[in-house]
Amino acid sequence: MGVFKGEVTALPPDKSISHRAALIGSLSEGVTEITNFSAGFDNQSTLGVLRDAGIGIIQEEVEGAYGFPVRKVIVTSRGLWSFTAPDKPLMCNNSGSTMRMFAGILAAQPFESELVGDSSLMKRPMKRIADPLRRMGADIELSQAGTAPVRIRGVKDISPIDYVLPVPSAQVKSLVAFAALHADGESRILEPVRSRDHTELMLGLETIDSPDGQRTIVIPGRKTIPARPFHVPSDPSAACFLVALALLGSGSEIIIRDVCLNPTRVGFIPVLKGAGAHITIENSRIIGGECIGDILVRSTPGLNPLVISDRTVVAGVIDELPMLSVLSAFASGEFELHHAEELRTKESDRINAIVVNLERLGFDCEQYPDGFRVIGRRRRPSGRVTAECFDDHRIAMSFAVAARATGEAIELSQSDVVGVSFPNFFAIIDSLTV
Ligand code: S3P
């Protein structure tokens, strides 16, 4: 069993907030300074497409903890229509957030553009972005299968929209909001199941909550967005891997500093505490509209099995489900998940990816269209097992944590893929290993 102790001060900056800070900067009038911007490949893809569409981007690197760079990004724009027609397809690599959220902006620009990605992104569903943008008047073309390439013939006089989100997706909500900022009139987005709310917070949008948990977001059209600075807090989705490492390790204690504790992002904390995990939050405070604080976690032998079956809870832990399921399987031998069909549309089909690997590791699993179950029986493999990563950073990191914490002979089919969101993942784990 691994023993992990120490303080983490160099967690990656939050991926969702980094994307939005750059995109909102590109829509703002003036110079947007973003401190602690993520060096992860996905966020670098957002900077790349903005540059290719004519936005001024300067990135400076200074050395941070463990020798990993911390970045400052300066975005210069003249407001909502500062983009120029790109002379080549815009390459989003592995980043679904880049492709989907930038599509909302491009739909309101008076030129043609095309968004493409790596082999994983080219398989992910894009009809969910084409539907609202077509209703707003943009011409969107997808492949026969409803995937990228996304070809956009944008319109400057894009129409306002009243839109009910058909899937709980912060990316879809954000792309509709970004398009609606250009419309001549007010738009409203109704969110039946709450998803992360960084876009609303960062743009200062009005929100109306109803008693049944639904939220309406109001987007005024054609209002100048003055440039303002953003500071990106540490990524709670990255913190979750270290939390699991300490919980599963023996005699471990880790404190992770300055993590974004936005309630729409840290659903994994109440889920784990409900199973008996020793986690406490310290030093919480509000900075730039986001709650930030430190997460203290101690090893918890005898963690109860996790059962996740509520749609709102699922939406609040959607990126943490790979780690939570692998943790629960190793800690308690059991896990159960329902209403998580969205998990099949991520960087890989994560339900399948987790089940394939847990089965290789001897767990008995049952798969459903919207989830899976690990059934408390295990035939431990005798030799070394390779975890198949399916080009998916969160699958790789979930099984890497299991390997380091339990000491079992698990190797990864790919390790570089962690750089999509957590370039210093292995360095931080090494630094915590006693
Ligand atoms: C994200 C929203 C989620 C999440 C993704 C980042 C965002 O995707 O899985 O990693 O920054 O808005 P969906 O909006 O597709 O659920």
Side-chain angles (χ1 to χ4, degrees):
M1 296 273 275
V3 181
F4 308 95
K5 285 189 193 285
E7 180 185 15
V8 179
T9 54
L11 204 66
D14 188 62
K15 182 158 88 70
S16 292
I17 297 178
S18 293
H19 282 305
R20 287 163 173 78
L23 293 168
I24 292 171
S26 76
L27 297 171
S28 304
E29 264 187 36
V31 177
T32 299
E33 185 176 301
I34 310 166
T35 45
N36 202 36
F37 190 89
S38 173
F41 304 155
D42 270 12
N43 292 120
Q44 295 301 309
S45 297
T46 288
L47 298 185
V49 297
L50 286 174
R51 264 195 204 107
D52 289 345
I55 298 296
I57 303 279
I58 299 171
Q59 184 166 212
E60 292 166 12
E61 241 178 45
V62 286
E63 193 170 294
Y66 313 109
F68 277 88
V70 175
R71 307 201 174 196
K72 181 164 115 181
V73 168
I74 314 273
V75 184
T76 305
S77 172
R78 281 169 287 100
L80 295 169
W81 288 281
S82 299
F83 302 84
T84 50
D87 56 9
K88 57 179 183 204
L90 297 165
M91 173 42 88
C92 305
N93 300 303
N94 195 243
S95 180
S97 300
T98 306
M99 180 173 280
R100 293 187 176 133
M101 293 198 280
F102 197 36
I105 295 175
L106 291 171
Q109 307 300 320
F111 53 71
E112 287 180 27
S113 54
E114 182 178 335
L115 294 157
V116 294
D118 69 6
S119 62
S120 151
L121 183 52
M122 296 300 274
K123 290 192 216 101
R124 296 181 65 185
M126 293 298 150
K127 193 173 166 304
R128 58 182 62 192
I129 75 173
D131 288 345
L133 295 177
R134 283 176 184 146
R135 274 186 49 194
M136 296 174 89
D139 190 356
I140 311 287
E141 206 185 298
L142 305 175
S143 77
Q144 283 274 318
T147 56
V150 182
R151 296 203 179 90
I152 301 174
R153 192 167 304 123
V155 280
K156 189 161 183 194
D157 56 346
I158 198 152
S159 310
I161 190 169
D162 272 346
Y163 194 62
V164 181
L165 285 173
V167 280
S169 165
Q171 291 176 356
V172 177
K173 172 174 61 178
S174 301
L175 81 94
V176 175
F178 288 149
L181 289 171
H182 300 79
D184 190 7
E186 186 179 278
S187 296
R188 286 176 177 246
I189 304 172
L190 177 78
E191 197 179 25
V193 178
R194 293 277 302 276
S195 63
R196 64 193 69 191
D197 61 2
H198 306 299
T199 302
E200 299 89 299
L201 287 174
M202 294 169 81
L203 283 169
L205 297 175
E206 182 194 346
T207 55
I208 303 156
D209 290 340
S210 58
D212 56 2
Q214 303 201 52
R215 169 171 276 194
T216 301
I217 300 125
V218 183
I219 303 110
R222 300 204 174 164
K223 261 184 66 180
T224 300
I225 305 167
R228 51 160 280 216
F230 293 110
H231 178 79
V232 185
S234 295
D235 194 328
S237 301
C240 180
F241 293 107
L242 304 182
V243 167
L245 185 78
L247 290 174
L248 207 49
S250 112
S252 301
E253 180 172 320
I254 298 177
I255 184 148
I256 313 164
R257 300 283 184 203
D258 302 330
V259 184
C260 171
L261 298 177
N262 178 317
T264 63
R265 295 293 302 285
V266 290
F268 66 95
I269 295 179
V271 165
L272 287 170
K273 283 175 95 161
H278 300 312
I279 301 176
T280 41
I281 300 297
E282 295 182 350
N283 197 20
S284 70
R285 63 232 188 249
I286 304 283
I287 295 182
E290 290 283 6
C291 181
I292 291 169
D294 304 337
I295 302 176
L296 175 68
V297 52
R298 295 195 182 92
S299 295
T300 308
L303 196 74
N304 290 320
L306 301 181
V307 178
I308 301 174
S309 56
D310 177 283
R311 283 191 192 280
T312 307
V313 176
V314 167
V317 295
I318 194 74
D319 287 343
E320 289 66 62
L321 285 170
M323 187 68 262
L324 291 176
S325 58
V326 173
L327 168 64
S328 181
F330 277 92
S332 72
E334 292 173 42
F335 176 74
E336 192 166 341
L337 175 69
H338 300 279
H339 297 307
E341 51 281 336
E342 273 297 295
L343 209 52
R344 293 197 184 272
T345 71
K346 298 295 176 186
E347 285 83 331
S348 69
D349 172 346
R350 287 185 174 156
I351 292 177
N352 184 61
I354 300 162
V355 168
V356 162
N357 286 313
L358 287 178
E359 284 179 345
R360 281 188 190 180
L361 287 157
F363 291 95
D364 205 357
C365 301
E366 194 174 67
Q367 235 187 102
Y368 319 115
D370 67 342
F372 66 101
R373 190 156 81 94
V374 181
I375 311 159
R377 284 190 303 262
R378 187 178 180 201
R379 283 154 282 100
R380 270 169 167 271
S382 48
R384 184 162 280 279
V385 172
T386 300
E388 176 59 53
C389 299
F390 296 93
D391 293 322
D392 187 330
H393 53 136
R394 299 198 202 279
I395 297 299
M397 290 189 280
S398 301
F399 287 95
V401 163
R404 295 289 186 107
T406 64
E408 289 192 26
I410 305 169
E411 62 190 25
L412 303 180
S413 66
Q414 293 166 284
S415 53
D416 289 358
V417 71
V418 305
V420 161
S421 62
F422 200 161
N424 51 352
F425 172 76
F426 292 109
I428 289 189
I429 294 186
D430 288 345
S431 77
L432 294 169
T433 305
V434 176

